[in-house]
Amino acid sequence: MMNPQSCTPSEPYRGLIHRYGFRLDIEGKESPITLHEGNTPLIETPRLADRIVPGGRLFVKYEGLNPTGSFKDRGMTTAMTQAVHEGAKAVICASTGNTAASAAAYAARAGITCAVLIPNGNVALGKLAGALAYGAKVIAIDGSFDDGLRIVRELEGVSGLAVVNSVNPARLQGQKTAAWEVCDQLGDFPDWLCLPVGNAGNISAYWMGFQECQAGKCGGLDCQACGRVRAPERGLPRLLGAQAAGAAPLVLGHPVAKPETKATAIRIGNPARGDQALRAIAESNGHLCAVTDEEIFQAYGKVAKAEGVFCEPSSAAGIAGLRQAVKEGKIDPKGKTFVCVLTGHGMKDPDSVLSSGAQIHKAAADMASVLKEIER
Ligand code: AN7
């Protein structure tokens, strides 16, 4: 039987609830619904650092390595575990794709029904394929993510049906563990944590996680349960939130009726946790910015080509925002440590690679022709 008190590093890793359950405020921890999510690598990216934060250190938290390919799995293990504990027979969410794939997988794991509302025509192929493969009822609506979330919220309270969007507090309980892992892996707080902002659940969760870390309530840096107590030397990190320029309601200060960006994961015009995100950015003395699709795609190509780390376009918005802030003189990178959260895997969105100038060389089926193509 799993032991929710356990976080002994020598034990095999069995997911967030097993690792951190004693610090997570959810019900049903005795019977976790898990795919062993979390425990993703924090990778130093020196070549990228030279380009965008000269004199500083840059790490990426590669959340694309979660079981369904995005950070959403962190919040889904906790939301699904609690929903099942409370007797849910079905779950529902609106999604730009990743939440849908994650909800579908964890519902399959739990043996319950999953319905997902997606904006017709604006979900990356790998996400759609995931949701379908895991057996969800995929409902493409003639509207945006925001329309979908409105409908889902109208369904809140239907008996036996649980909403697993990040309006559900159990989602943030899981997602905050990423902040603890960052602290644990770095051995301290970073100076800055940079990430994309869509519905604004993730940035809110990171802030909660960092604050709990500072208060000695996390399972990472200051883990009283496993005796691995290490006080952070740096103060709380500053948060950099990046929205796509065509979907930047928090930057503009009002909802965007028709959000537009090729980074479809963050094509969101009315973020449910917008106020909480703005508070987190203000409290951390952070920075909120809008980045163009061109800046996003440049960062997206760079992190893959310079470092071998493939993320989806939206995930690169944090890197793009950091680059912009440094270029504009808003952040002095010298001597600073930066963490950019790469929220989803690049393979979620194969079309974006093919449409951003990648080229396949052609050659006749003989050695000389191939060599000529290599040397070209
Ligand atoms: C790769 O899947 O909203 O600010 O429905 O998929 O917490 O919303 C996805 C969001 C960043 C933004 N990066 O996070 C959904 C959905 C990726 C994402 C975000 C999303 P939030």
Side-chain angles (χ1 to χ4, degrees), residues 293-309:
D293 280 7
E294 197 185 335
E295 290 173 301
I296 290 174
F297 273 77
Q298 197 173 32
Y300 159 76
K302 202 60 98 191
V303 64
K305 291 181 176 68
E307 299 286 1
V309 179

Side-chain angles (χ1 to χ4, degrees), residues 71-72 95-96 98-99 145 196 198-202 265-266 268 312 343:
F71 74 96
K72 303 286 183 183
S95 179
T96 57
N98 279 325
T99 302
F145 166 85
N199 209 28
N202 210 28
I266 52 173
I268 293 174
E312 63 173 283
T343 46

Side-chain angles (χ1 to χ4, degrees), residues 272-348:
R273 290 192 181 267
D275 291 341
Q276 198 175 343
L278 289 172
R279 249 191 335 271
I281 291 168
E283 283 173 15
S284 77
N285 190 23
H287 180 63
L288 174 68
C289 61
V291 286
T292 63
D293 280 7
E294 197 185 335
E295 290 173 301
I296 290 174
F297 273 77
Q298 197 173 32
Y300 159 76
K302 202 60 98 191
V303 64
K305 291 181 176 68
E307 299 286 1
V309 179
F310 188 24
C311 67
E312 63 173 283
S314 303
S315 300
I319 297 176
L322 175 58
R323 178 162 185 266
Q324 185 194 75
V326 172
K327 268 173 75 179
E328 289 176 355
K330 290 179 178 140
I331 295 177
D332 176 6
K334 272 194 207 64
K336 299 282 193 331
T337 297
F338 300 88
V339 171
C340 290
V341 184
L342 300 184
T343 46
H345 202 290
M347 288 192 283
K348 288 273 192 170

